[in-house]
Amino acid sequence: MFKPIRLFLTLVVWCFSMQVHADPAFVHRKDVQQFMNEMVKQHHFDRKQLTAILSAAQFQPKIIESMERPYEKKTWDVYKQLFLTEQRVQAGVAFWRANQQTLERAQKQYGVPADMIVAIIGVETLYGKNQGNYRVLDALTTLAFYYPKRSVFFTKELREFLLLCREHAVPATQYMGSYAGAMGKPQFMPSSYRFYAVDFTGNGKRDLMNDDQDVIGSVANYFSRHGWKANERVAQLAHVNGTQYKHLSMNSKFPDYTYNRLVSAGVKPMTAAGPHPDKAGVIELMTDKGAEYWLAYPNFYVITHYNTSPQYALVVYLLAQQLREQWAASA
C-alpha cells in the first residue's frame, strides 16, 4: 500500500531536481571557462567572485521550452486577443493619468508620443505587474550555455548583465525577469538597459523596476535612438488586388519599397491615404479568414527593434491607438 506512494514521491523529487538545479561541474565546462577568461581579462572581474556568481546559476529547462514556443508563433487572431483587452486599455489609461506630466516631458524631449510609450509598457508587463519570475542570471546562463542556436546572442547579454550588476552594485542573483532575461517594467535586455536606460528622475539612478519616470524616459530614448520620427504614420490596414503583389517581399525587416511601388503592385490602404512616408513594407498576417495585409512605415520598424515579430509591432501600434482614443474620451 505504501510502496506506490513512496514511488510517487520519489518521482516527484526526481522530476523537480531535473527541472531546476545548480550543476557543480558547470563552471568547469570549457565554454564557461572561456567566458570567464574574457570577463577577467577584458572587464577585470575577480575570478574567484565570478566563479561564485556562475556557480549559483541554476539550469532552467522550462526556459528552453518557452524559447521554442513563443507567443509570436500564434496566429494573428489569437495573438491580438491576448493583448488587445479592455483590462489592458483601462489599466493603460490609469497609468497615463498617474504619469501624465512625465509622459508629456518625454514626448517633448524625445518626440515619441505618450500613447506609444504606454502601449509598450502595457504589452510588455501590464504596466509593471508581470515583470517575470525567473532570476535573470538563471535565464541568461541557461540560454548562453544550453541553447546553441542563440548562444552567441545570450552570451553577449550575460556579459552585459554582469557588467550592469557591477555598475549598480547589485548581486547578480537579485534581479528577476522574463524567460529571455528581459528586465523591469519595459523588459529591457541587459545591453539595452546599459545603453538606453536614462535617469529621468534625476536621482542618480536608472531604476526600470520601480521608477515610472525612468521607465518612461528610457522607452522614449530607446525609440528615439532607433529612429522614431515624430508625427509620422506607423501602419495602415491594406487590401490587395491583382497578382503583382505576390512578387513582393512580405514581413521584411526594413521598409523595402516606395509607397508608389506598392500601390502599383496592388497594395493599397483601406482608409484614406493622407500624408505618409515615402518608404513602406508589406506585412502579411494569417487569420482564420485568410491573410490580412498592412502597409508598414519606418516607425513600424522602429518598434521591431524592441521585438522583431511583426505581430508584436502591430499589436503595440493598435494598443496605442486604443489608448489614445480612450484617453481623449476620458479627457
Side-chain angles (χ1 to χ4, degrees):
M1 172 175 186
F2 294 102
K3 287 184 179 179
I5 296 176
R6 281 203 205 105
L7 178 59
F8 171 75
L9 292 174
T10 301
L11 287 172
V12 168
V13 172
W14 180 81
C15 289
F16 180 80
S17 67
M18 288 297 290
Q19 290 175 353
V20 180
H21 66 275
D23 182 2
F26 173 70
V27 293
H28 301 293
R29 285 175 40 167
K30 183 177 179 180
D31 51 354
V32 179
Q33 284 290 313
Q34 289 175 340
F35 174 77
M36 292 174 62
N37 290 339
E38 174 194 336
M39 299 302 291
V40 170
K41 183 176 181 179
Q42 297 185 15
H43 302 287
H44 312 293
F45 274 76
D46 179 84
R47 180 177 291 277
K48 185 175 181 180
Q49 292 177 350
L50 185 59
T51 301
I53 292 171
L54 294 179
S55 294
Q58 296 179 337
F59 172 56
Q60 298 275 1
K62 286 186 177 180
I63 288 177
I64 306 297
E65 295 176 15
S66 297
M67 290 296 292
E68 292 297 307
R69 295 198 308 263
Y71 281 136
E72 288 74 20
K73 287 188 177 181
K74 300 180 185 297
T75 64
W76 174 231
D77 299 277
V78 174
Y79 185 83
K80 65 182 178 180
Q81 288 176 5
L82 292 171
F83 295 100
L84 300 180
T85 65
E86 184 64 20
Q87 176 197 17
R88 207 175 297 265
V89 172
Q90 293 304 320
V93 172
F95 180 88
W96 192 333
R97 187 175 297 112
N99 296 281
Q100 183 175 356
Q101 291 184 346
T102 302
L103 286 161
E104 290 173 353
R105 180 160 64 98
Q107 181 169 330
K108 183 177 180 180
Q109 181 171 335
Y110 295 105
V112 182
D115 53 79
M116 186 60 62
I117 298 171
V118 177
I120 281 286
I121 302 167
V123 168
E124 288 294 337
T125 61
L126 195 57
Y127 315 102
K129 291 183 179 179
N130 305 319
Q131 296 189 35
N133 299 314
Y134 290 101
R135 293 195 311 181
V136 175
L137 177 66
D138 296 343
L140 294 177
T141 52
T142 293
L143 293 169
F145 299 110
Y146 296 93
Y147 193 57
K149 66 170 72 176
R150 299 292 304 280
S151 175
V152 173
F153 173 80
F154 285 106
T155 299
K156 180 200 74 170
E157 291 299 333
L158 177 60
R159 178 181 69 241
E160 297 295 334
F161 174 67
L162 294 174
L163 290 168
L164 177 71
C165 291
R166 185 169 69 180
E167 292 164 358
H168 287 195
V170 172
T173 53
Q174 177 173 313
Y175 282 125
M176 304 296 289
S178 74
Y179 67 80
M183 306 165 64
K185 292 186 178 184
Q187 291 291 274
F188 274 19
M189 292 300 291
S191 60
S192 294
Y193 201 133
R194 291 192 69 220
F195 297 128
Y196 300 113
V198 297
D199 173 18
F200 216 49
T201 308
N203 62 1
K205 301 178 181 180
R206 300 181 299 164
D207 182 1
L208 301 187
M209 285 69 179
N210 308 293
D211 193 321
D212 286 342
Q213 291 189 59
D214 287 356
V215 170
I216 289 166
S218 298
V219 171
N221 180 52
Y222 184 93
F223 271 59
S224 176
R225 294 278 294 274
H226 283 92
W228 183 269
K229 301 297 183 184
N231 303 316
E232 283 196 0
R233 286 182 179 270
V234 176
Q236 282 184 285
L237 186 63
H239 63 85
V240 296
N241 54 59
T243 59
Q244 290 188 42
Y245 77 90
K246 296 181 180 180
H247 301 289
L248 298 173
S249 175
M250 302 287 177
N251 301 336
S252 62
K253 295 182 179 181
F254 305 95
D256 294 329
Y257 303 101
T258 65
Y259 179 85
N260 291 336
R261 168 76 176 89
L262 293 176
V263 171
S264 66
V267 184
K268 300 178 181 179
M270 295 184 68
T271 55
H276 55 77
D278 293 332
K279 301 283 286 185
V282 184
I283 303 303
E284 180 184 51
L285 301 174
M286 299 312 299
T287 74
D288 291 338
K289 297 180 180 179
E292 182 175 299
Y293 295 92
W294 288 78
L295 286 167
Y297 300 114
N299 275 349
F300 180 90
Y301 295 93
V302 173
I303 304 174
T304 63
H305 282 283
Y306 221 102
N307 183 316
T308 58
S309 165
Q311 294 190 143
Y312 173 90
L314 190 55
V315 87
V316 168
Y317 167 64
L318 293 175
L319 178 59
Q321 284 191 313
Q322 292 182 6
L323 288 166
R324 184 169 63 250
E325 292 169 0
Q326 191 65 34
W327 177 258
S330 66

